[in-house]
Amino acid sequence: QKEVEQNSGPLSVPEGAIASLNCTYSDRGSQSFFWYRQYSGKSPELIMSIYSNGDKEDGRFTAQLNKASQYVSLLIRDSQPSDSATYLCAVHTGGFKTIFGAGTRLFVKA
Amino acid sequence: NAGVTQTPKFQVLKTGQSMTLQCAQDMNHNSMYWYRQDPGMGLRLIYYSASEGTTDKGEVPNGYNVSRLNKREFSLRLESAAPSQTSVYFCASSATPTGGTEAFFGQGTRLTVV
């Protein structure tokens, strides 16, 4: 079992729809969770961080964390073609160990 | 704001050649990292430096060496390149040494070893 798992996609949604990206992790002691967006050929950039159970909203983005289920998700409301990218889930498991998932490719159709 | 700057952006090496990837950050961050990214495998940590003067191995350190030259600069050296080291390399930095805060990434180096 991978330490951080994501569906590789591609996830295809129409413009204006909600895109739902999911991530599961194996280390129950994990404390910090991050979502990075990576455009093709570019470097990852942080879009959301979440540290406690529940929802965290920032503009069109909502991160959801459920530590009991070891599950973190990212919702993108009113998806735009510019949201088309690979989304990386990253889990800080302690010390300097931050594990990245392989990423989910999102395609938003105009 | 330059953020994290890596050089070069592209490189082709022959098997057995050596090279150094350079990285510099201007955000006054204590911690710096080198990752490699391969298709389907996500980012994997090669080496990190918690603070100036310290370096430690990450998940995949074999075949690499690093130098934390000063607080700004963190270089990655391949002494004898192998085809398995073909990858995209990212340097990153973060403010705190705990590893639990946001990392800022450089633009990446696409390395091909033939």
Side-chain angles (χ1 to χ4, degrees), chain B residues 50-97:
Chain B
S51 60
E52 185 178 354
T54 68
T55 61
D56 284 286
K57 296 178 180 179
E59 182 184 357
V60 288
N62 291 344
Y64 306 95
N65 285 299
V66 291
S67 295
R68 183 74 181 266
L69 305 171
N70 48 55
K71 190 171 186 178
R72 291 186 64 248
E73 299 173 286
F74 188 38
S75 63
L76 178 72
R77 183 162 178 83
L78 286 71
E79 292 290 353
S80 179
S84 61
Q85 294 178 305
T86 293
S87 187
V88 180
Y89 292 85
F90 288 101
C91 177
S93 70
S94 64
T96 69

Side-chain angles (χ1 to χ4, degrees), chain A residues 39-54:
Chain A
Y39 292 113
S40 180
K42 302 296 184 181
S43 58
E45 56 178 340
L46 183 76
I47 53 172
M48 290 287 289
S49 60
I50 187 166
Y51 303 96
S52 55
N53 279 329

Side-chain angles (χ1 to χ4, degrees), chain A residues 34 36 38 43-44 46 92 95-96 98, chain B residues 37 48 50 97-100 102-103 106:
Chain A
F34 306 92
Y36 286 83
Q38 186 175 24
S43 58
L46 183 76
H92 177 230
F96 276 86
T98 296
Chain B
Q37 186 174 38
Y48 65 92
T98 63
E102 176 183 3

Side-chain angles (χ1 to χ4, degrees), chain A residues 2-3 32 34 36 38 41-46 51 88 92 94-103, chain B residues 31 33 35 37 40-43 45 48-50 59 90 97-103 105-107 110:
Chain A
K2 292 183 180 179
E3 293 184 80
S32 308
F34 306 92
Y36 286 83
Q38 186 175 24
K42 302 296 184 181
S43 58
E45 56 178 340
L46 183 76
Y51 303 96
L88 307 176
H92 177 230
F96 276 86
K97 194 171 183 183
T98 296
I99 307 298
F100 285 80
Chain B
S31 305
Y33 314 82
Y35 289 92
Q37 186 174 38
M41 300 196 71
L43 289 157
L45 184 64
Y48 65 92
S49 171
E59 182 184 357
F90 288 101
T98 63
T101 56
E102 176 183 3
F105 288 83
Q107 67 268 50
R110 188 172 296 274

